[in-house]
Amino acid sequence: MSLRRLLYLLYQKQHFFRKQPKWKMVITMLMEPFQLAKPVLDRIEEYNHQAFFVGGCVRDFLLKRPIGDIDIATSAQPGLVQQIFDKVIPVGIKHGTVIVRHQHQSFEVTTFRIDGTYTDKRHPDAVTFIDKIDKDLERRDFTINALAMDKNGKIIDLFSGKEDLQNKIIRTVGDGYERFTEDPLRIIRAIRFSSQLGFTIDHQTVDNMKKVKQNIEGLAIERIANEFTKLFAGDYVHNGLSYLKATDIYKHLPIMIEYPYIIHLLPKRLDALYSFGEVIALFHITEPKVSVIRWINAWKCSNRTKHEANQLVEALYYFKNNGLDQWLVYQLSSDFYKGFTRLSNIVYPSKTVSYQELVETEESLPIKSKKDLAIKGDDLIGLFPHAKRGPWLQKILNRLEQEVVTGGLKNTELDLKEWVKWNPPEIN
Ligand code: ATP
Ligand code: MG
């Protein structure tokens, strides 16, 4: 291609972008996830069934927010959906849900249904499949989540969800008292959405949340933890926390039942936290009387969350006493640098620290782990051939590690051995 032609094409491209109004580009970007899912709807319709985008993806599309998962609701029964797509993962056949894989993307496809009672506080005991979307939308929690959209962008809005989106209101579909009694998780979800979207909860809905709040205690804690993680990650976390406090709902959550004052001690300036490990670290630093392990056990957290909370707490205490140095960064897994930055800026606002500083400090570290030390346990045995193996070995390796990381000692065999000779271990 000649240079002239290339310049011409570039000019045209630039021209195109200049001519394209900004809002149109935003809409195109927002539509992209739906475009990827459209062939799934097409295929279901080829089999004479209805299919719609539904729930959070429609809500977020209308709000021009980034879209998470694309959920699809259909009149086709799960057996048929399994037949008509090549790659289907039957994640919840009993409840009508399968995952359809299409062009390396996953789409949750759920048959229109009405729910039975929730005795196990997790899933409805039984569901009934139906062939129209109306009742399926009616079983959904809030009006803003009860919206559906067909493949041409036509919205189905049976409960004035669009109006509530416009007025920034969270309101139950139908009678709040009944809906919260049916599944009390919805109480926590209302607060979670207020934290994510910055919306107000309709006052009648709040009244009903208060009436049913005690029932939260019967819920499976993993379900609450899942919503709580999203609550603390919300852009309007203050909004969510205000509702938690104003409704006294926190008094029905593990740990907070026993220590209801903790929530009031949280720092006033609170930014979003992106994992439950960060949330637990914050609560523990706020009230050290409740250990990390108690939080972990009471909220049935994973080992990963436990590891994360412990690492963060240790790093925060170290930071309080010593500030940011090589040793802190060396000890903290790089997966938690961002979380540490968020937390330290909340908990110790006078000592601001940036993610960039942590990364730069890490890059300047002479070693990344103990394995990188220029001498090993066997070399130490060589220096003290008459000594028996024992805890002294680990102790001196730890000391060498710290000296090297903090720059007191060069990581060469010669330097390390010399240091050991001048600082002989206590061997017993
Ligand atoms: P997110 O963007 O966080 O995924 P979401 O609205 O998609 O938000 P999900 O938990 O993924 O929330 O649920 C998907 C949809 O299923 C909701 O929009 C709502 O319509 C419905 N839903 C989920 N949980 C409940 C519930 N406990 N009671 C009633 N409807 C629910
Ligand atoms: Mg979702």
Side-chain angles (χ1 to χ4, degrees):
M1 187 190 301
S2 74
L3 185 64
R4 245 180 95 150
R5 170 112 186 106
L6 185 70
L7 284 173
Y8 174 68
L9 284 177
L10 276 173
Y11 165 76
Q12 268 205 327
K13 196 168 176 196
Q14 211 185 16
H15 196 62
F16 169 76
F17 278 118
R18 227 186 289 134
K19 258 175 47 184
Q20 179 103 321
K22 224 175 169 183
W23 64 266
K24 235 181 180 169
M25 279 172 67
V26 172
I27 295 286
T28 315
M29 271 159 55
L30 284 171
M31 279 309 281
E32 200 180 301
F34 294 108
Q35 290 304 333
L36 291 172
K38 191 172 162 285
V40 177
L41 271 60
D42 288 337
R43 184 130 184 98
I44 296 175
E45 286 179 2
E46 276 167 30
Y47 284 79
N48 295 323
H49 276 281
Q50 305 161 49
F52 298 93
F53 301 114
V54 74
C57 62
V58 181
R59 177 197 69 220
D60 291 339
F61 166 66
L62 292 173
L63 287 174
K64 301 191 175 51
R65 278 168 52 86
I67 289 157
D69 304 327
I70 295 261
D71 293 331
I72 296 168
T74 179
S75 57
Q77 301 244 343
L80 178 64
V81 179
Q82 276 181 302
Q83 271 175 37
I84 65 181
F85 292 99
D86 290 338
K87 288 192 202 129
V88 181
I89 310 165
V91 282
I93 287 271
K94 247 178 61 188
H95 297 101
T97 304
V98 300
I99 287 183
V100 170
R101 295 276 302 160
H102 177 76
Q103 303 243 317
H104 311 290
Q105 309 278 330
S106 294
F107 303 104
E108 218 177 271
V109 179
T110 305
T111 307
F112 299 155
R113 64 174 214 218
I114 40 180
D115 294 344
T117 47
Y118 284 69
T119 342
D120 74 346
K121 310 288 182 212
R122 274 168 211 266
H123 304 292
D125 298 338
V127 302
T128 310
F129 299 137
I130 50 179
D131 58 7
K132 290 211 180 58
I133 196 168
D134 319 22
K135 294 267 180 239
D136 183 273
L137 294 177
E138 202 176 319
R139 75 171 168 89
R140 292 172 188 272
D141 45 9
F142 306 109
T143 60
I144 57 168
N145 288 347
L147 293 159
M149 181 167 82
D150 75 7
K151 65 178 187 190
N152 302 314
K154 190 173 159 258
I155 303 283
I156 302 178
D157 176 15
L158 306 179
F159 309 99
S160 306
K162 261 174 35 179
E163 194 183 323
D164 283 344
L165 276 183
Q166 207 136 39
N167 296 329
K168 301 182 182 240
I169 287 188
I170 297 162
R171 185 197 316 271
T172 47
V173 172
D175 178 65
Y177 183 82
E178 252 173 51
R179 304 311 309 283
F180 290 133
T181 309
E182 218 170 51
D183 180 10
L185 187 74
R186 292 170 189 153
I187 299 172
I188 309 283
R189 281 172 64 85
I191 300 180
R192 183 263 269 203
F193 288 115
S194 81
S195 169
Q196 284 183 318
L197 307 172
F199 282 20
T200 305
I201 306 176
D202 159 68
H203 70 91
Q204 229 170 355
T205 301
V206 173
D207 282 349
N208 287 317
M209 284 161 68
K210 287 189 197 153
K211 282 186 200 146
V212 185
K213 64 180 194 275
Q214 179 116 29
N215 298 13
I216 291 170
E217 292 176 31
L219 287 168
I221 189 63
E222 297 90 331
R223 290 183 82 206
I224 305 183
N226 188 26
E227 295 296 331
F228 227 59
T229 308
K230 293 182 181 177
L231 191 163
F232 272 88
D235 287 344
Y236 305 87
V237 56
H238 276 292
N239 209 19
L241 281 176
S242 304
Y243 278 118
L244 264 184
K245 290 183 209 164
T247 52
D248 275 356
I249 280 169
Y250 66 95
K251 291 184 182 163
H252 301 279
L253 298 171
I255 305 283
M256 285 179 250
I257 292 186
E258 293 163 75
Y259 302 89
Y261 63 90
I262 298 187
I263 199 159
H264 301 286
L265 298 181
L266 289 177
K268 294 277 165 293
R269 225 202 86 244
L270 196 64
D271 296 321
L273 296 175
Y274 293 136
S275 73
F276 205 57
E278 290 173 35
V279 175
I280 288 187
L282 174 69
F283 273 106
H284 169 71
I285 298 269
T286 303
E287 174 48 296
K289 225 160 83 185
V290 188
S291 65
V292 167
I293 197 69
R294 272 192 73 189
W295 279 100
I296 296 290
N297 291 340
W299 283 75
K300 293 199 182 156
C301 300
S302 65
N303 280 336
R304 194 201 181 273
T305 299
K306 178 163 125 188
H307 174 62
E308 180 182 19
N310 279 327
Q311 278 239 336
L312 287 168
V313 163
E314 224 166 276
L316 286 163
Y317 281 144
Y318 183 92
F319 178 68
K320 185 182 175 194
N321 297 323
N322 307 284
L324 182 69
D325 65 10
Q326 291 104 322
W327 189 244
L328 185 155
V329 173
Y330 176 78
Q331 297 254 300
L332 184 65
S333 155
S334 57
D335 292 347
F336 308 139
Y337 285 179
K338 287 199 171 143
F340 171 80
T341 314
R342 281 189 282 274
L343 279 168
S344 61
N345 289 334
I346 292 171
V347 186
Y348 310 119
S350 57
K351 298 165 84 151
T352 51
V353 54
S354 71
Y355 172 69
Q356 196 55 30
E357 276 174 90
L358 270 90
V359 172
E360 278 165 18
T361 310
E362 193 212 10
E363 281 164 1
S364 73
L365 290 176
I367 58 171
K368 302 289 179 220
S369 80
K370 216 185 226 130
K371 286 202 299 279
D372 301 336
L373 273 182
I375 64 172
K376 307 268 170 285
D378 286 346
D379 302 315
L380 288 172
I381 296 277
L383 287 179
F384 305 99
H386 301 298
K388 271 202 270 172
R389 281 178 180 274
W392 66 272
L393 258 179
Q394 205 47 48
K395 217 162 134 188
I396 199 142
L397 281 172
N398 289 348
R399 190 63 206 281
L400 288 172
E401 183 186 26
Q402 196 157 8
E403 291 291 335
V404 168
V405 170
T406 53
L409 192 55
K410 257 173 70 184
N411 187 31
T412 69
E413 191 177 336
L414 197 70
D415 284 271
L416 298 190
K417 283 189 172 168
E418 199 63 16
W419 189 92
V420 175
K421 275 187 206 152
W422 286 102
N423 301 274
E426 276 178 37
I427 303 168
N428 40 37

